[in-house]
Amino acid sequence: MEIFVSLISGIIGGNVAGAVLKPLNLGMLNNSVAGLFGGFIANLALARLFSSTALAEIEASNAAKLILLLLAASAGGFCMTLLGGILRRATFRR
């Protein structure tokens, strides 16, 4: 369930990045793919972070973990789309 939520949030974050940053827009499909990848990476990072000993001792509710996952995956999708747009722009400028 968590992976599904993070993938969808990443796709949304990637498409928001494309809509907000028009010069770095990759197109709807590529924004979605970059966002999907960014959401997946954010999910892996949070899973590793929550399994660490410091955060394992903190008792957070499931709602708080879900909100954190939504925010992290959206930010991951946004950043991955931003990075893809910057790289595409740098390679096609020459």
Side-chain angles (χ1 to χ4, degrees):
M1 177 70 179
E2 291 175 357
I3 187 75
F4 182 72
V5 169
S6 65
L7 294 178
I8 297 299
S9 297
I11 290 171
I12 292 170
N15 284 307
V16 167
V20 171
L21 305 168
K22 294 285 186 193
L24 301 177
N25 190 359
L26 300 172
M28 186 174 189
L29 180 63
N30 290 333
N31 287 341
S32 296
V33 170
L36 184 86
F37 188 62
F40 180 72
I41 290 174
N43 183 24
L44 291 177
L46 278 181
R48 183 160 180 120
L49 191 64
F50 275 121
S51 68
S52 72
T53 57
L55 285 178
E57 295 175 3
I58 298 174
E59 291 191 21
S61 67
N62 286 336
K65 287 182 182 179
L66 182 64
I67 291 171
L68 181 63
L69 179 66
L70 286 170
L71 292 175
S74 297
F78 190 94
C79 291
M80 193 59 67
T81 304
L82 178 69
L83 180 65
I86 290 171
L87 290 175
R88 186 180 124 240
R89 202 173 159 142
T91 55
F92 288 127
R93 278 227 156 170
R94 294 177 182 187

